[in-house]
Amino acid sequence: MEPLFGVVLGLVLAVASPAHHSCTCATNKWAVCAQEGAGNCTCRLAGSDQPVDCSTLTSKCFLMKAEMMPPKERRLWRPPQGVSDSDGIYNPDCEDSGAFKARQCNQSSTCWCVNTAGVRRTEKGGRSLSCGELVRTRWIYIELTHKRSSGAFGGPDVAKALSQLFESRYKLHPKYIAAIKYDPPLIQIRLDQNKKPRWDVDIADVAYYFEKDVRNDSVFPSSSKLTVSVNGDALAIEKLWVYYVDEKPPEFCMRQLAAGISAVVTVVVLTAGVGIAVLLILRWLRTRTYKKFECKEMREIKAPSLE
C-alpha cells in the first residue's frame, strides 16, 4: 500500500509542479503571481496590488511606481537592475487604469503637469498648481545608433526587422509605426498614435519597454532577452534617445529664457559702464596733464628775467 501511495503522491507533485512554475508573468518580471484554484494564475504588480494583464504590456505609470519601491519591500521578487536618479524616475500618482494623473507631486509639495507618457510639460509649482486634462503624447521619436562593428545594413531590412520586433515583442500594431529611417549608424523611428483604442498598447509604454531593454534593465523576465537581427546578423544597439511630442505644446514659461536675457543685459550694461568709466578716467588724466603743462608754461613766461 505504501509503494502505491508513493507513486500517487509523485504523480500529483509532477502534475502540480509545472502548473506552479507556469504561473509567471511573461511581460513583467516585477509582477507577483500566485496560483488560485485549478489553472487560475493571478498576477499583481509589486507595491501597488494592481492586477496585471500578462498578455500585454504593463502601463508605464505602474512600472515607474514599482521601480520606486524600496529594496526592503522588493525582497520577494527580482528587483530592477541599476536604477539611477539620472533615469528621470519618480514615484508617480496613477489612475486605476494605469494612466498617469495629470498633476504629479513629490514629498516636498512641489507639483508639475505631465503628459500621457509621464513626462513633465510645465514648470514646477506648488500644491495650488492646476493641470486640467491629461495631454496625450501622440508622437514619439526614437533615435538609436548601432556599433560600427555591426557593419551597415540595408535600409528596408532594418525597417523590417525593427517593425517585426515592435509587433512581436511589444504587441504594437504596425499601423502605429509611422516611419523608420536608416542612415548608418543612426536609426530613426517615429511612432504615431493620435487616438488609442482600449485594446491597443500605448506607444509610451512601448517606448519605455524598448528603452529598458536597450539599457539592459528589461522589464521582461531574464529568459526573454532583447535580440535584434537583420538578415541573421546581430544589430548591436549602442545609444538611444527618446523624444515626446504632445497634442498641445508644452506650457513652460519664459522664466528661464528671461533669466538668460537678463544675465546678458546685465553683462552688457556692466561692460558698457566699465568702458565709459575708463574713458572718463583717461580723459580726466589727459586734461590734468594738459593743465599742468599749460600752468608750467605760464609760470615760465611770467617769471622775471635774471639778466
Side-chain angles (χ1 to χ4, degrees), residues 44-52 61-63 65-66 69 77 94:
R44 297 185 180 277
L45 190 64
S48 65
D49 201 34
Q50 290 285 344
V52 176
C61 191
F62 283 159
L63 292 177
K65 180 171 286 292
M69 293 301 299
W77 53 88
C94 309

Side-chain angles (χ1 to χ4, degrees), residues 32-77:
V32 180
C33 302
Q35 197 78 35
E36 298 180 357
N40 185 16
C41 179
T42 302
C43 298
R44 297 185 180 277
L45 190 64
S48 65
D49 201 34
Q50 290 285 344
V52 176
D53 182 1
C54 295
S55 65
T56 187
L57 304 187
T58 306
S59 75
K60 179 181 177 181
C61 191
F62 283 159
L63 292 177
M64 289 175 61
K65 180 171 286 292
E67 290 182 82
M68 290 300 295
M69 293 301 299
K72 182 179 180 181
E73 299 181 25
R74 289 196 305 221
R75 63 182 182 274
L76 296 180
W77 53 88

Side-chain angles (χ1 to χ4, degrees), residues 4 11 20 29-30 49 68 73 75 89 106 133 137 139-140 142 151 153 163 170 199 207 212 221 242 244-245 258 307:
L4 180 60
L11 291 174
H20 174 74
K29 67 180 181 181
W30 301 328
D49 201 34
M68 290 300 295
E73 299 181 25
R75 63 182 182 274
I89 301 298
N106 59 19
E133 63 176 338
T137 296
W139 292 342
I140 292 183
I142 302 175
F153 305 96
S163 295
Y170 308 112
W199 54 84
K212 302 292 282 185
V242 182
Y244 304 88
V245 180
E307 296 181 355

Side-chain angles (χ1 to χ4, degrees), residues 292-306:
K292 285 184 176 180
F293 180 75
E294 186 179 27
C295 290
K296 182 178 180 181
E297 286 185 340
M298 292 296 296
R299 283 197 300 268
E300 290 178 350
I301 293 173
K302 294 180 178 179
S305 176
L306 298 176

